[in-house]
Amino acid sequence: MPENALPKLELKTALAAASGNAAPLIEIKKLSLFYGQAQALKNISLSIRERVVTAFIGPSGCGKSTLLRCLNRMNDLIDGVRIEGSVRIGQHDIYAPDVDVIELRKRVGMVFQKSNPFPKSIYDNVAYGLRIQGVKNKSDLDAAVEQSLRGAALWDEVKDRLHTSALGLSGGQQQRLCIARAIAVKPEIVLMDEPASALDPIATARVEDLILELKRDFTIVIVTHNMQQATRISDDTAFFYMGELIEAGPTQKIFTNPRQKRTEDYVTGRFG
Amino acid sequence: MNPIPPTGMIIPTEPGRHFRAGKFDFWSFFFSGLTGLATLLILAILAVLLGNIIINGWPNLSWHFVSTIPRKDFFDPATTGVLPMIIGTTIRVFVMTIFVLPIGVITAIYLTEYAPTDSMLTRIIRAAVNNLAGVPSIVFGLFGLGFFINFIGRNLDEFLQNPGPVWGQPAVLWASLTLAVMTLPVVIVATEESLKAIPLGLREASLALGATKLETICKVVLPQALPGIMTGGILAVSRAAGEVAPILFTGVAYYMASLPSKLSDQFMDLGYHVFVLSTQSPDIERTRPILYATVLVLLLLTFALNFVAILIRARVRKKLRALG
Amino acid sequence: MPPNQGNRTHGWMGIHRGHRARPLEWIAERGIFLVALSTILMIFLIFVFVGREAMPILFGQENSALIKPVIPPEEMDRLKPEELQAYLGLSDKAFRQMERETLRELMIVKQEAQEEIPEQLRNDPDAHLNTTEWSAMLLPRQWSGYDEPVYIWQPIGSIHKYNIVPLIIGSLKVTLVGLLVAVPLAVGAAIYVSQLARPRVREVVKPVIEMLSGIPSVVIGFFALLVMASVLQSVFGYQTRLNAFVAGIALSFAVIPLVFSIAEDALTSVPRSYTQAALALGASRWQTAWQIVLPTALPGVFAAVVLGFGRAIGETMIVLMVCSASVVSWSIFDSARTITTTIAAEMAEAVAGGHHYRILFMLGAILFAVTFISNLIGDVVIHRLKHRLEGKR
C-alpha cells in the first residue's frame, strides 16, 4: 500500500507542527530490530517531544513494547537482539559504543506492565535506586522517599507503614509504588509499558491522573492497548502495525482525522 | 487390551447405562495394583530399614556414648564412645562447606545470570556439572589422592621445605576438598533452581533504575535466592556427611588418640567407624549394640539435614510453579 | 533549539562514560566466569590426575616382573643417563640430586636383591612375566601350580597376579542384580506416583522415596550385612552367606531413588494436553498411562536405567561390606569382588608409585570412563526428550 511509504520528513514535520515550540527530546532514526532472523521493528523514524505524554498504540505483537524498551536499552538483556539505526536522546546517540547503559537507565526510567515491587519494605523499594547511586544520608533518603511517594500520590495511603512489605499493597498501589520508585532517581524520561493493564477501573483512573500530573516534570512515553486511555492522557500518539510505524502525530488528529486507512480502522475498533 | 474403539466405529448407546461404572477392567486393575505394589514395597524397605535401626539403636544411645573419647579398643560396648567421630565428621563437613558454597553459588550465578543460553560453552559447563554428579565416589577418592595429596601436597611440602611429609599425606583438609569437588553439583543445581524461580520482572525493575547487573544480583536476586542456596548447602552437607569412599585414602584414620587440631591432621569419622565396627569387629554379637547406636547417630545427623532441605525445596518448587 | 534546552540536555553528557567505566564490576564478572569454568576444570583434573597415575600401565611402561635383567655396576658408565634413571626407577629430581657413588650403591643393592631371589623361583617362568601387560591382565594363564589356565587377581606374594577379568565380572554381576531389582520397582513406583496416585498421596510418597537417597551407603551396607544377609539366606537357602545376590539387592536400595526420580520426572514432563486428550476420549487412567504417557516418556525411563547403571557400578561401600572374595563365577550366589571394592580395599596397602598402586588407579580410570559415558548417554537422552516435549507444546 502506497500510503505506508510516507516520507519520513513529512512525519517529522507533522510532529513538529503539533509540538509548537518544544524541540524533540528523543529522535529515533531508521531503527530496525531483529530477534535472530525475525525482524521485530522495521525502519522506524519518530520524534518525541519533551514534557508531553506520547502514547504508542497498536495491536499486540506490533512492536510497540519492543520500541519502548529500545529507549533505555532494556533489549540489551535479551540474547540475539540486533539493532540498526540510531536513537538520539538530547542529541546523544544512546547506541554509540561509548555509552554507559547504566547511566542511561538512570535518566530513562521504566514502569512495567506487571507491577514488580521488590520483596522489601515500601521505604526500601523507593530508596533502592538512590542507594544504588550511593546516597547514604538518612535524612536525604527520607526526604526523597516522601517526595517520590507524594509525587506518585501514594504518600497518604502508606505513610504509616513505610517499613512494612511492599507485597502487602493492593495491585494499584503496587503499580504506583513502582512509579514512585522510578521517579525517585529523578529521571528525565519515564517509559511506561501498559502500566494499567492489570488494574481495575478505579486504580486505572488513579494511575492516569498521576500520569497527567507527572507530565509537568517528566517526558512520558506510554505503551497502551487501550484507545480511550490514549485519548485521555496523551498529547501525541504513534500507531504501529506489524513492526512498522504507520502514523504519528497529535493524539486528537490521530483519533479524529487519521491520514492512513489502517490507523482509522484500528482506532475505530475495526481490527486489533 | 485396547478398549478404545477405532475411530469411525459407532458405539450403540443405551440411555442410562452409559455413565454407570462399566464392566470390571481386569488389566487396569492388575497394573494399577502392580505399580502400587512396587511403590508400597519401596516404602516398606525404607520403613524396615529405619525401623530396625531405630528400634535396635535407640536403647543403646546414651549421653555417655556420644560424649566419650574411646580408648584404642573401641569394640568394647562398656567404655566406647563416638565423640571423636562426631567431631571429625563435623570438621570435614564444615571445611568442605567453606569451599563448596562460594564456588557452587558463583557457578550457578554465572549459568543463570550471565551465560548466553544455549551457547556451546554453557552447554559444556552444564554437561560437566551433570557429569560430575555421576562420578563414583571412589573415583573422587582416587582423585583426592592423586591430585591433592600426591601433587599439591607433596609440592607444597617441597616448597615449604618441610623435613617430613606434612601436607603430602592424608589430612582433613584434603578430605574436605575432595568432598567439596564431589558436592559441587548439588550446590550448583539447588542454587540454579532457586535463581530461576525469581521473576525476571524484579531484575528488570532493578536494571531500569540504573543498577548494574552485579548490583542487581547482590541486592535483589541473591537475597531472594537465599532459601534455595541454603537448601543446596544442607543437601551437600547431608550427602557428604555419610560418604566414606572419598575419604578412605584422603584423610580418615582408623584410630587416633587425640582430636584433630590442625588442617593437616587425620581424623576419625562416623561413617568409616560404622564400616570398621561392622567388618573388623572380633566379636560381632558383642559390638552389635554400639554398632546400631553409631548408625543411629549417623542417620540422625544426615536425616535431620535432609529433611530440612526437602522441606525448603518443596516450598521453593511450589513458589516456582505458582509463578510459572 | 530553544534556549531552555541547554541545561536540560547538559546532563546527557554523563552517559558517555564508556562501558569500561566500572573496572570493579568488570573484574567481578571475569571472576564469576572463571569460577564457572573451574567446574569444567574439575572434570578435566579428575581425568588428568586419575589418568596420570595409571599412565605407565596403560602404555605398557611398567614392569612388575620379579626377575629383571641385571646390569652389573661395572657397566655403569656404558649407560646413558636416562637409561640409568629408568633402570633404577628414580624420579627426575632424585636422579639429579644423587651423586655418582650413590647411584653405584643403588645398582649394587639392586643386583644383590636380584641375586637373593631363591633358585626355585628363578626357574619359575611366572617370575619373568610382566603381569601388568595387557595380555596378562585380560587373558587366562596357567600359573605354576595350576592345572589349567585361570583368571586370577592376587596382588600379594612374590608374584602379583593382576588379571582384571574377575573384577569386571564381579562388577557386572552385582550391578545386574541391583538393576534387575531396582528398575522394575522404581519405574513401577514412578508410573504409580506420577500417573495413577491421587495428588495427596503423591505429595507424601515422592519425598519419602527421595528420602531413601539420603541414607548413606555405609548404613545400607551395614543393614545388608547384619540383617538382610541372614534373612535372605534362610529364604533362598544358598551356601555362601555373603554373596553377589545380597550385595545386588542392597545395591538396589541405593539405585531405586535415583531411577525413581529421573523416571518420575520424565513421566511428569509429558504435557497435560496429551493425557487430557486421551482421558477425554474415554480412556481410563491406566490406559492413558500405558498407551500415551509411557511411550512418550520412554527415552526418559531408558536414561534413568542408564544413569542407574552408572550409579550401581560405581557404588563402593555397600559391596565392600557385603562381599569381597575374588572368584570368577557368573553365579550370583557366589561371592564377587568388584572394581570399586578392590580399589577401596587394596589402596591402603599399595606402595605409592608402585605397580599395584598404578593398576588400582587404572581400574579407577576404567570406572571413570564407564560412568562418564553412561552419564553422557543418559544426559543427552533426557535433554532431547525435554526439548522435544517442550517444542511440541
Side-chain angles (χ1 to χ4, degrees):
Chain A
M1 35 234 72
E3 297 107 322
N4 261 354
L6 194 70
K8 265 100 225 164
L9 199 68
E10 213 172 317
L11 256 181
K12 241 174 114 181
T13 37
L15 267 186
S19 65
N21 53 5
L25 178 62
I26 306 174
E27 277 201 87
I28 303 163
K29 270 190 191 146
K30 294 188 176 171
L31 187 79
S32 292
L33 182 141
F34 303 84
Y35 290 119
Q37 295 297 315
Q39 188 169 4
L41 294 177
K42 294 170 190 163
N43 206 19
I44 286 171
S45 296
L46 175 69
S47 301
I48 292 168
R49 293 185 294 153
E50 196 181 345
R51 296 201 207 191
V52 299
V53 178
T54 303
F56 288 180
I57 61 169
S60 43
C62 67
K64 54 191 192 298
S65 289
T66 310
L67 180 64
L68 190 77
R69 293 167 67 95
C70 284
L71 300 183
N72 67 347
R73 293 186 59 174
M74 286 301 275
N75 285 324
D76 290 18
L77 307 173
I78 301 162
D79 285 339
V81 164
R82 203 175 80 245
I83 287 168
E84 289 169 4
S86 75
V87 177
R88 289 178 164 273
I89 300 182
Q91 309 301 319
H92 298 276
D93 182 357
I94 62 166
Y95 283 93
D98 65 339
V99 162
D100 185 3
V101 184
I102 306 304
E103 209 56 44
L104 170 72
R105 292 194 187 127
K106 283 177 186 165
R107 301 181 169 279
V108 186
M110 189 161 188
V111 176
F112 296 84
Q113 180 172 5
K114 207 176 153 195
S115 64
N116 50 6
F118 301 126
K120 302 171 186 260
S121 72
I122 294 169
Y123 183 96
D124 287 342
N125 260 281
V126 181
Y128 180 85
L130 295 166
R131 285 192 173 133
I132 289 291
Q133 294 189 8
V135 180
K136 287 208 177 74
N137 188 313
K138 178 102 172 47
S139 56
D140 288 355
L141 282 175
D142 286 348
V145 168
E146 178 174 346
Q147 198 193 344
S148 309
L149 285 171
R150 280 189 194 283
L154 195 60
W155 175 252
D156 293 333
E157 290 161 61
V158 300
K159 65 181 177 213
D160 299 325
R161 46 169 176 156
L162 285 177
H163 295 281
T164 59
S165 170
L167 300 178
L169 297 174
S170 72
Q173 287 174 324
Q174 286 193 4
Q175 194 59 294
R176 277 181 284 144
L177 176 67
C178 292
I179 295 174
R181 187 176 62 183
I183 62 178
V185 294
K186 304 228 177 305
E188 277 148 62
I189 300 167
V190 179
L191 309 174
M192 298 189 175
D193 191 355
E194 305 196 18
S197 67
L199 304 181
D200 62 67
I202 296 168
T204 303
R206 303 202 65 162
V207 170
E208 287 181 5
D209 289 347
L210 175 58
I211 291 170
L212 289 173
E213 280 289 305
L214 294 173
K215 196 169 96 175
R216 280 184 300 172
D217 298 313
F218 304 97
T219 302
I220 293 171
V221 186
I222 180 168
V223 164
T224 177
H225 59 238
N226 180 335
M227 243 87 61
Q228 284 73 38
Q229 189 171 60
T231 55
R232 281 196 298 267
I233 59 174
S234 73
D235 304 293
D236 293 345
T237 296
F239 171 59
F240 296 86
Y241 183 68
M242 303 275 279
E244 285 178 78
L245 173 64
I246 306 297
E247 187 168 354
T251 301
Q252 215 191 346
K253 185 162 181 301
I254 293 282
F255 278 89
T256 54
N257 186 20
R259 287 157 179 270
Q260 308 280 328
K261 177 85 170 58
R262 213 128 28 121
T263 315
E264 190 179 345
D265 286 350
Y266 183 71
V267 296
T268 53
R270 241 168 273 168
F271 81 100
Chain B
M1 48 154 292
N2 185 4
I4 299 179
T7 44
M9 190 201 259
I10 295 163
I11 313 157
T13 50
E14 295 164 35
R17 178 182 181 276
H18 210 65
F19 292 125
R20 250 186 290 133
K23 75 172 169 40
F24 176 70
D25 183 351
F26 172 74
W27 289 109
S28 190
F29 174 78
F30 181 71
F31 282 106
S32 302
L34 213 61
T35 53
L37 214 63
T39 315
L40 270 182
L41 197 58
I42 296 176
L43 296 181
I45 290 171
L46 188 65
V48 169
L49 185 76
L50 295 182
N52 179 277
I53 291 166
I54 292 169
I55 289 167
N56 290 299
W58 190 251
N60 297 306
L61 207 57
S62 64
W63 175 246
H64 175 260
F65 183 67
V66 293
S67 64
T68 302
I69 301 178
R71 282 174 291 132
K72 177 104 193 171
D73 175 32
F74 46 58
F75 296 107
D76 179 10
T79 61
T80 196
V82 288
L83 184 66
M85 295 81 180
I86 294 177
I87 290 177
T89 304
T90 310
I91 293 177
R92 77 170 160 89
V93 164
F94 181 74
V95 176
M96 172 204 85
T97 314
I98 293 174
F99 286 99
V100 75
L101 221 48
I103 295 180
V105 169
I106 289 174
T107 305
I109 287 175
Y110 175 77
L111 285 174
T112 46
E113 308 291 324
Y114 287 99
T117 40
D118 261 35
S119 83
M120 198 61 198
L121 185 70
T122 314
R123 273 203 236 153
I124 292 177
I125 295 180
R126 270 183 214 287
V129 172
N130 284 341
N131 229 304
L132 206 55
V135 174
S137 45
I138 190 82
V139 174
F140 283 109
L142 289 179
F143 169 65
L145 178 62
F147 179 62
F148 291 125
I149 297 177
N150 286 352
F151 182 71
I152 293 188
R154 286 203 181 158
N155 283 324
L156 203 62
D157 276 341
E158 214 164 89
F159 179 74
L160 299 172
Q161 299 184 325
N162 290 327
V166 175
W167 294 108
Q169 60 178 4
V172 65
L173 177 67
W174 302 138
S176 304
L177 283 175
T178 306
L179 290 167
V181 177
M182 189 187 79
T183 51
L184 197 55
V186 180
V187 176
I188 294 176
V189 169
T191 309
E192 240 197 302
E193 203 173 81
S194 70
L195 288 177
K196 279 183 188 156
I198 297 167
L200 187 67
L202 287 186
R203 297 185 177 87
E204 286 190 330
S206 171
L207 291 167
L209 287 169
T212 64
K213 203 160 187 174
L214 201 63
E215 284 165 342
T216 302
I217 290 167
C218 294
K219 299 203 168 141
V220 175
V221 176
L222 279 185
Q224 280 269 83
L226 211 59
I229 295 171
M230 271 166 51
T231 319
I234 294 171
L235 280 177
V237 164
S238 85
R239 161 100 199 266
E243 277 287 349
V244 176
I247 59 170
L248 278 178
F249 332 125
T250 53
V252 78
Y254 177 84
Y255 176 77
M256 278 178 68
S258 58
L259 295 171
S261 58
K262 305 185 293 293
L263 281 178
S264 58
D265 280 346
Q266 291 195 327
F267 60 97
M268 293 173 84
D269 179 81
L270 263 182
Y272 184 67
H273 196 60
V274 169
F275 169 70
V276 170
L277 286 180
S278 35
T279 55
Q280 326 266 304
S281 168
D283 178 2
I284 190 73
E285 286 311 318
R286 199 162 150 254
T287 43
R288 190 184 282 265
I290 54 168
L291 180 48
Y292 266 106
T294 313
V295 169
L296 190 58
V297 172
L298 177 61
L299 263 191
L300 285 177
L301 203 80
T302 54
F303 253 84
L305 289 167
N306 238 305
F307 193 67
V308 175
I310 286 175
L311 279 185
I312 300 178
R313 191 169 50 169
R315 284 180 60 183
V316 170
R317 279 200 181 148
K318 220 172 227 175
K319 211 160 115 194
L320 189 132
R321 223 168 282 151
L323 290 162
Chain C
M1 192 186 290
N4 72 331
Q5 199 72 15
N7 45 10
R8 283 289 287 188
T9 48
H10 180 73
W12 291 99
M13 293 306 287
I15 69 171
H16 290 277
R17 280 210 297 164
H19 53 282
R20 291 279 181 278
R22 291 158 219 282
L24 277 178
E25 176 113 2
W26 189 82
I27 291 168
E29 287 183 1
R30 289 308 103 164
I32 289 173
F33 177 67
L34 288 179
V35 170
L37 275 188
S38 71
T39 321
I40 308 181
L41 187 73
M42 281 306 157
I43 283 281
F44 182 71
L45 283 181
I46 294 176
F47 191 70
V48 168
F49 278 91
V50 174
R52 192 180 82 134
E53 306 282 358
M55 205 77 92
I57 303 271
L58 293 168
F59 291 105
Q61 291 160 343
E62 188 74 34
N63 187 357
S64 67
L66 184 63
I67 295 169
K68 291 171 188 156
V70 173
I71 304 171
E74 301 80 53
E75 293 179 23
M76 185 175 172
D77 297 324
R78 276 198 15 236
L79 291 173
K80 292 182 192 136
E82 54 269 26
E83 281 174 346
L84 186 62
Q85 185 188 343
Y87 173 67
L88 292 173
L90 294 171
S91 71
D92 282 334
K93 188 159 167 282
F95 185 70
R96 259 183 283 115
Q97 282 175 345
M98 276 178 191
E99 292 178 15
R100 199 186 134 78
E101 268 317 296
T102 332
L103 290 171
R104 198 182 149 82
E105 286 292 321
L106 281 175
M107 289 186 82
I108 294 168
V109 168
K110 193 146 181 143
Q111 188 181 30
E112 284 171 356
Q114 289 282 323
E115 277 163 5
E116 271 169 22
I117 296 171
E119 198 59 28
Q120 191 194 346
L121 264 173
R122 227 162 243 294
N123 297 330
D124 187 343
D126 293 351
H128 298 272
L129 177 77
N130 176 7
T131 50
T132 61
E133 270 172 23
W134 282 107
S135 59
M137 289 195 291
L138 293 172
L139 300 175
R141 180 182 163 88
Q142 185 165 359
W143 301 93
S144 32
Y146 285 83
D147 302 331
E148 51 176 359
V150 284
Y151 299 96
I152 287 189
W153 173 273
Q154 198 182 69
I156 43 165
S158 51
I159 296 159
H160 288 195
K161 305 182 178 81
Y162 290 132
N163 197 300
I164 61 175
V165 174
L167 310 182
I168 293 172
I169 290 179
S171 271
L172 290 179
K173 201 162 71 170
V174 176
T175 302
L176 219 62
V177 175
L179 285 183
L180 280 177
V181 178
V183 169
L185 283 181
V187 174
I191 293 175
Y192 183 77
V193 168
S194 71
Q195 304 299 320
L196 306 171
R198 261 168 285 158
R200 196 183 280 173
V201 176
R202 182 180 321 161
E203 263 170 42
V204 176
V205 171
K206 209 181 144 189
V208 171
I209 294 183
E210 278 170 358
M211 226 156 130
L212 192 57
S213 72
I215 297 182
S217 46
V218 269
V219 175
I220 297 177
F222 144 85
F223 183 71
L225 181 67
L226 260 74
V227 182
M228 272 168 51
S230 309
V231 174
L232 287 172
Q233 190 182 29
S234 61
V235 172
F236 292 92
Y238 43 72
Q239 199 100 71
T240 330
R241 180 170 163 269
L242 297 175
N243 56 30
F245 179 65
V246 181
I249 289 186
L251 196 55
S252 75
F253 294 2
V255 180
I256 282 172
L258 179 82
V259 177
F260 170 81
S261 42
I262 297 168
E264 204 267 347
D265 195 40
L267 289 166
T268 7
S269 70
V270 173
R272 266 248 186 93
S273 53
Y274 286 30
T275 51
Q276 277 167 359
L279 289 171
L281 288 171
S284 70
R285 283 209 159 274
W286 166 253
Q287 285 161 347
T288 312
W290 182 249
Q291 292 166 349
I292 310 290
V293 178
L294 196 58
T296 315
L298 205 58
V301 176
F302 169 75
V305 176
V306 172
L307 292 172
F309 170 82
R311 172 84 171 82
I313 205 161
E315 175 52 54
T316 308
M317 296 314 288
I318 295 176
V319 193
L320 181 62
M321 289 165 83
V322 175
C323 61
S324 55
S326 80
V327 288
V328 183
S329 154
W330 277 104
S331 165
I332 56 168
F333 296 117
D334 281 330
S335 187
R337 166 161 263 196
T338 66
I339 295 175
T340 54
T341 54
T342 307
I343 300 171
E346 293 174 11
M347 188 53 93
E349 300 144 30
V351 184
H355 39 79
H356 189 193
Y357 171 90
R358 295 208 182 286
I359 217 156
L360 291 178
F361 265 93
M362 190 204 67
L363 288 175
I366 292 175
L367 194 64
F368 181 48
V370 169
T371 51
F372 188 88
I373 291 168
S374 64
N375 288 337
L376 216 58
I377 294 173
D379 232 43
V380 168
V381 171
I382 290 177
H383 189 77
R384 289 227 177 125
L385 175 73
K386 285 259 161 95
H387 198 75
R388 203 182 46 154
L389 289 180
E390 273 156 26
K392 268 187 184 171
R393 199 144 29 179

